[in-house]
Amino acid sequence: MNKIGPIAVFDSGYGGLTVLDKIIKHLPQYDYIYLGDNARTPYGTRSFEVVYEYTLQAVSRLFDMGAHLVILACNTASAKALRSIQQKDLPLIDPQRRVLGVIRPSVEKVNELSQSGHVGIVGTSGTVQSESYLMEIAKLFPDIQVSQEACPMWVPLVENNEFDSEGADYFVKKNVNSLLYKDASIDAVILGCTHYPLLIPKIKKYLPEGVNVIEQGDIVGESLKDYLQRHPEMEKKCSKNGSVHFYTTESTDKFKQTAGIFFSGDIRVEHIRL
Ligand code: DGL
């Protein structure tokens, strides 16, 4: 096994590319591999057991490919699989490797992002049902009031390139109104799903002016930079040639066609089976 390797970014499909895009802007010097489990997406409607099983398969594969550090860019995987993998599996697979998620870095910023102390979370049904955001925010900022809204149609709208359509207006308005009905004092909304940044213009259109819409990409990029500074033993294991390689469990042609919506760089992709 190589002593150094790429940083791996995993998602159930394309959405994690919005996070990878921002991570690379913050940390362009490293090598990255991105794995999209496009053949089995979406994860957002799947059970805890299935999301855990699929995510563990992906993480193990990324370790085999030489990564010492895996970022679960998927909120659903971070909500349903991260803790079990960190506590149960990593000590058995290799206690020196690390798997990090996207929920904790977003939660750590919540108090800076809201003035009113009333925060909204939008996410997949799986992320919302897991209550991960509620629990994490309650631990760090017990005074912040959090309301959640599951938006099951938003991922299919983005995946099908319909994020700028009238259909998107209909579903975004419906979910945003439902969130505001739960708490009209919300002044910050966390986009708790990797696909949602593409819907930002529509989300802002239906939120009252001045509400802070929080994208995770930059937050995760900054948090990873900070993590690598605080963990030189891990930083030393990350190779630095500025390369990015993509892997998909679906067809590579389809990946190349769609990935450009989410990621601004060059896309060289290979197929793998998990
Ligand atoms: N990537 C997932 C997330 O961030 C959304 C897509 C899915 O449902 O698989 O929650």
Side-chain angles (χ1 to χ4, degrees):
M1 174 61 67
N2 282 339
K3 281 213 172 73
I4 60 169
I7 296 173
V9 177
F10 170 68
D11 186 47
S12 58
Y14 298 111
L17 292 167
T18 59
V19 177
L20 175 67
D21 201 53
K22 293 284 165 61
I23 289 179
I24 292 174
K25 293 209 165 87
H26 287 270
L27 297 161
Q29 67 272 39
Y30 296 102
D31 293 321
Y32 295 92
I33 48 176
Y34 179 90
L35 170 58
D37 191 7
N38 301 86
R40 302 190 293 195
T41 200
Y43 281 15
T45 46
R46 295 189 191 277
S47 67
F48 175 91
E49 289 75 16
V50 170
V51 173
Y52 166 59
E53 182 193 328
Y54 288 0
T55 306
L56 181 58
Q57 283 172 359
V59 166
S60 305
R61 189 58 182 271
L62 290 162
F63 284 161
D64 289 345
M65 290 160 84
H68 294 267
L69 177 62
V70 177
I71 312 295
L72 300 184
C74 180
N75 280 268
T76 311
S78 298
K80 293 189 161 189
L82 180 62
R83 185 164 301 204
S84 301
I85 291 176
Q86 285 175 333
Q87 292 178 355
K88 212 160 57 89
D89 301 297
L90 265 186
L92 300 173
I93 301 172
D94 182 347
Q96 306 304 320
R97 291 181 201 246
R98 288 289 172 270
V99 183
L100 306 175
V102 287
I103 293 178
R104 183 78 187 195
S106 315
V107 164
E108 282 171 354
K109 293 261 170 204
V110 154
N111 67 329
E112 294 168 31
L113 303 165
S114 166
Q115 299 292 314
S116 69
H118 293 249
V119 171
I121 310 290
V122 284
T124 64
S125 305
T127 298
V128 166
Q129 279 159 16
S130 76
E131 300 196 343
S132 297
Y133 277 96
L134 295 184
M135 291 185 288
E136 293 288 332
I137 294 175
K139 264 190 252 163
L140 292 187
F141 308 109
D143 295 336
I144 288 185
Q145 198 161 316
V146 190
S147 303
Q148 304 193 100
E149 175 72 11
C151 309
M153 291 305 291
W154 292 14
V155 168
L157 283 166
V158 173
E159 288 272 327
N160 291 291
N161 214 346
E162 291 284 340
F163 54 89
D164 202 18
S165 67
E166 281 176 29
D169 271 292
Y170 174 82
F171 284 106
V172 170
K173 185 178 178 191
K174 183 176 167 204
N175 290 122
V176 166
N177 284 347
S178 169
L179 180 67
L180 292 171
Y181 184 73
K182 288 170 191 162
D183 184 353
S185 306
I186 285 170
D187 70 347
V189 174
I190 298 183
L191 304 184
C193 175
T194 51
H195 285 64
Y196 296 176
L198 280 93
L199 290 163
I200 285 176
K202 299 240 180 279
I203 297 167
K204 286 193 167 160
K205 184 170 156 189
Y206 296 109
L207 279 170
E209 228 178 84
V211 172
N212 206 353
V213 176
I214 298 141
E215 227 187 302
Q216 291 177 313
D218 277 323
I219 293 176
V220 174
E222 277 166 26
S223 160
L224 181 59
K225 195 171 181 177
D226 178 56
Y227 176 86
L228 291 171
Q229 274 164 5
R230 286 185 292 109
H231 294 87
E233 76 291 352
M234 176 56 77
E235 201 281 333
K236 273 187 236 140
K237 292 179 192 163
C238 299
S239 55
K240 297 176 196 71
N241 299 297
S243 71
V244 193
H245 290 280
F246 298 87
Y247 297 88
T248 176
T249 54
E250 245 290 351
S251 113
T252 52
D253 286 345
K254 207 171 149 201
F255 189 91
K256 264 186 252 166
Q257 269 170 28
T258 310
I261 304 173
F262 299 85
F263 184 79
S264 52
D266 225 25
I267 294 169
R268 288 181 304 272
V269 55
E270 281 172 51
H271 176 264
I272 59 167
R273 212 179 283 276
L274 290 178

